[in-house]
Amino acid sequence: MAVVPYKDKQDSKKEQVAEMFNNISGKYDLLNHVLSMGIDIIWRKKAIKMLQKDHPKLILDIATGTGDFAIEALALNPDKIIGVDISEGMLSEGKKKMLKRGLQDKIEMQLGDSEGLLFEDNKFDAVIVSFGVRNFENLEKGLADMYRVLKPGGKTVILEFSKPKAFPMKQAYAFYSNTILPQVGKIVSKDNSAYTYLPESVQAFPDGEDFLAVLKKVGFHSTVCKPLTFGISSIYVGQK
């Protein structure tokens, strides 16, 4: 049974996730930084460093949202970054951000579905995703399509929430994500379901070795999992 934001609706997970992000798009960046106490910025920097030696020139940022990960990837000095997302609302916020910073020529943002990317095979030097893969309706299909559009030898770097395993972080994180996070999210975003969905989707996501197994299944090799901040999130790397 797929974990969805709006349990009273019959729409697919994909449609519900798009609707949820449209609803919270205006407050998304603020909430992200507040709810992670700014650590998400450090996590993104660490994830991008995993591509430093590869010097990718063309990068695809999946579930780009408002483009924070794409902006972080500019540190790699690529020629171009294309960001895709299923939420019009998030893309609209992202495009405003790019215009404001004069980055619209370097970072192109477009509507797109991770499970049916409108790009030819073997196009990108790197494919990156931050906090997006657990929202895929079909995880395997989404990862297989990422693999398809990567050039041979190219890398994927995925940043995603995971579940802390050790005491007392495991208990503290459970309390925070099930009690505090939904309350703050509800007050700021005015969407009751969005931040209840977040801990539920993290709980249901196959993290650590389980996720590496899915990456290998779709074809990636030399896979690595690097836990961050007591295992609250992890960086995954795979090569084509």
Side-chain angles (χ1 to χ4, degrees):
M1 178 76 176
V3 173
V4 293
Y6 307 109
K7 294 171 185 60
D8 54 341
K9 294 191 176 179
Q10 297 305 305
D11 300 346
S12 69
K13 178 172 177 176
K14 193 176 293 177
E15 290 166 321
Q16 291 202 27
V17 165
E19 182 186 344
M20 176 188 81
F21 281 117
N22 285 340
N23 289 346
I24 64 172
S25 56
K27 296 284 195 296
Y28 180 77
D29 284 349
L30 169 71
L31 269 167
N32 238 3
H33 304 327
V34 168
L35 292 171
S36 73
M37 293 171 275
I39 304 170
D40 63 309
I41 298 164
I42 298 161
W43 291 340
R44 284 190 182 91
K45 285 185 191 300
K46 285 192 171 172
I48 290 303
K49 277 198 174 129
M50 305 293 270
L51 284 167
Q52 227 166 14
K53 294 196 294 285
D54 302 276
H55 308 293
K57 288 298 160 205
L58 183 61
I59 300 173
L60 176 63
D61 180 28
I62 289 185
T64 190
T66 62
D68 276 355
F69 206 33
I71 290 169
E72 203 54 66
L74 290 173
L76 300 166
N77 197 26
D79 294 335
K80 182 105 179 161
I81 300 170
I82 299 176
V84 297
D85 203 282
I86 57 170
S87 164
E88 298 263 19
M90 295 288 271
L91 286 169
S92 162
E93 293 296 322
K95 284 173 183 170
K96 280 187 239 168
K97 193 188 283 184
M98 298 312 157
L99 277 169
K100 202 170 156 187
R101 299 184 185 200
L103 297 173
Q104 67 275 16
D105 295 336
K106 206 77 165 149
I107 299 173
E108 185 187 317
M109 305 189 86
Q110 44 180 267
L111 198 63
D113 178 2
S114 54
E115 291 160 46
L117 294 165
L118 302 175
F119 302 108
E120 64 268 28
D121 300 359
N122 312 315
K123 181 178 173 75
F124 295 93
D125 301 305
V127 177
I128 59 174
V129 196
S130 72
F131 309 116
V133 289
R134 73 176 194 291
N135 297 323
F136 287 3
E137 188 162 58
N138 183 325
L139 181 61
E140 222 172 279
K141 196 176 170 195
L143 294 173
D145 219 38
M146 284 163 55
Y147 182 85
R148 178 184 67 77
V149 300
L150 252 185
K151 285 180 184 170
K155 268 187 196 161
T156 186
V157 172
I158 296 164
L159 176 61
E160 190 50 90
F161 287 115
S162 43
K163 302 178 275 288
K165 309 281 190 283
F167 176 86
M169 199 60 196
K170 182 181 175 180
Q171 289 72 12
Y173 180 71
F175 174 75
Y176 175 74
S177 59
N178 294 318
T179 311
I180 297 168
L181 190 144
Q183 287 307 318
V184 177
K186 187 168 147 180
I187 293 160
V188 180
S189 75
K190 307 284 188 282
D191 187 305
N192 293 1
S193 306
Y195 289 86
T196 320
Y197 164 75
L198 197 147
E200 285 173 359
S201 64
V202 172
Q203 216 41 52
F205 183 72
D207 60 348
E209 289 299 323
D210 293 338
F211 184 66
L212 290 183
V214 187
L215 281 176
K216 287 174 193 158
K217 190 177 175 187
V218 303
F220 287 102
H221 65 87
S222 310
T223 56
V224 177
C225 170
K226 186 180 175 182
L228 303 169
T229 319
F230 310 106
I232 293 173
S233 75
S234 300
I235 299 169
Y236 301 94
V237 182
Q239 193 164 3
K240 180 166 176 177

